[in-house]
Amino acid sequence: MSRPTLQIALDHNHLEHALADVIKVGKIVDIIEIGTILCLQEGWKAISCIRSMFPEKTIVADTKCADAGGTVARNVAKAGADFMTVICCATIPTMEAAQKEVKELQVELYGDWTYQQATEWRQIGIKQVIYHQSRDALFSGETWSEKDLSKVKTLIEMGFDVSVTGGLTISTLQLFSGIDVSNFIAGRGISDTTDPVKAANDFKKEIIRIWGE
């Protein structure tokens, strides 16, 4: 079982606020995500700017693309993104078109997706999925449950590298002990704290404590 990586989600409305946070923690985390809101507000500029600041990091454009996969993927790749996300309801042709343009395509699991769909994603070569509690679900009071953990385990058994996100805190990580999670994505759990540097380091330390060096 390998040690999960740590990803910062820059879910900001304005590029200057995102830059203020990523300057603090960009060297600590393994992956930097230009979040959906930031992609919509400042897409090309945000991706290209952060790529120039962190040339050695993996950069994700969280577009949650549903259509025009090839065009969207081509654009974010030219801006400097390594990975791009598509929403799970996107068609197989949309996903295949996007795959041709980026290093890795990630499927965002929202709403009513099925394991049959997941099987089709694997058949076209998709390796990465992102399992969430959404912002809206968390704000309405939902929490991580055994049902979530079971789905994560099944996706891993199907051969996916599974990223986990949605209201993650340091204490949440313990829930996934013994599970071969590929990556943890934290947004507000790092950027909305009084000390983002400490928060990012604490996430990394807890991951190492649970999964080892």
Side-chain angles (χ1 to χ4, degrees):
M1 188 177 296
S2 58
R3 174 163 60 87
T5 51
L6 177 63
Q7 177 172 324
I8 177 71
L10 300 173
D11 292 320
H12 300 69
N13 278 295
H14 303 291
L15 179 55
E16 58 268 32
H17 297 156
L19 295 179
D21 281 337
V22 78
I23 285 170
K24 297 173 187 173
V25 303
K27 291 185 178 180
I28 301 169
V29 301
D30 304 293
I31 301 171
I32 300 171
E33 171 195 327
I34 288 74
T36 306
I37 295 168
L38 189 58
C39 277
L40 289 170
Q41 294 287 92
E42 311 246 26
W44 183 286
K45 185 188 296 185
I47 297 168
S48 60
C49 183
I50 291 169
R51 165 54 69 202
S52 68
M53 294 168 62
F54 298 97
E56 77 288 358
K57 295 290 182 177
T58 297
I59 304 292
V60 180
D62 187 19
T63 60
K64 294 185 175 66
C65 182
D67 196 12
T71 301
V72 174
R74 191 177 309 116
N75 288 343
V76 300
K78 286 181 179 178
D82 301 295
F83 300 167
M84 184 188 96
T85 66
V86 293
I87 197 69
C88 55
C89 62
T91 64
I92 293 296
T94 292
M95 294 182 183
E96 288 179 319
Q99 275 185 295
K100 295 175 183 178
E101 306 294 339
V102 290
K103 293 178 183 177
E104 289 281 352
L105 191 67
Q106 302 175 312
V107 179
E108 293 262 4
L109 304 179
Y110 273 109
D112 297 324
W113 56 276
T114 67
Y115 291 119
Q116 177 56 44
Q117 287 175 294
T119 298
E120 293 173 2
W121 304 331
R122 286 294 297 131
Q123 288 171 345
I124 65 169
I126 291 175
K127 296 188 294 184
Q128 297 192 41
V129 295
I130 302 171
Y131 189 91
H132 292 228
Q133 288 279 5
S134 74
R135 287 173 62 129
D136 294 337
L138 288 163
F139 289 155
S140 68
E142 292 186 27
T143 57
W144 289 93
S145 67
E146 185 57 43
K147 177 181 69 174
D148 297 307
L149 300 181
S150 177
K151 289 181 178 179
V152 169
K153 291 174 186 177
T154 299
L155 289 164
I156 292 169
E157 290 167 0
M158 293 177 72
F160 287 106
D161 294 333
V162 181
S163 293
V164 171
T165 188
L168 293 180
T169 64
I170 306 298
S171 60
T172 310
L173 299 182
Q174 183 62 43
L175 297 174
F176 297 90
S177 178
I179 303 175
D180 197 11
V181 173
S182 176
N183 180 45
F184 287 106
I185 306 172
R188 288 169 289 120
I190 293 175
S191 60
D192 284 3
T193 63
T194 56
D195 189 343
V197 172
K198 182 179 184 302
N201 278 317
D202 285 348
F203 266 101
K204 290 293 287 282
K205 289 175 184 176
E206 183 68 355
I207 289 170
I208 291 169
R209 186 189 71 81
I210 297 171
W211 283 271
E213 293 285 353

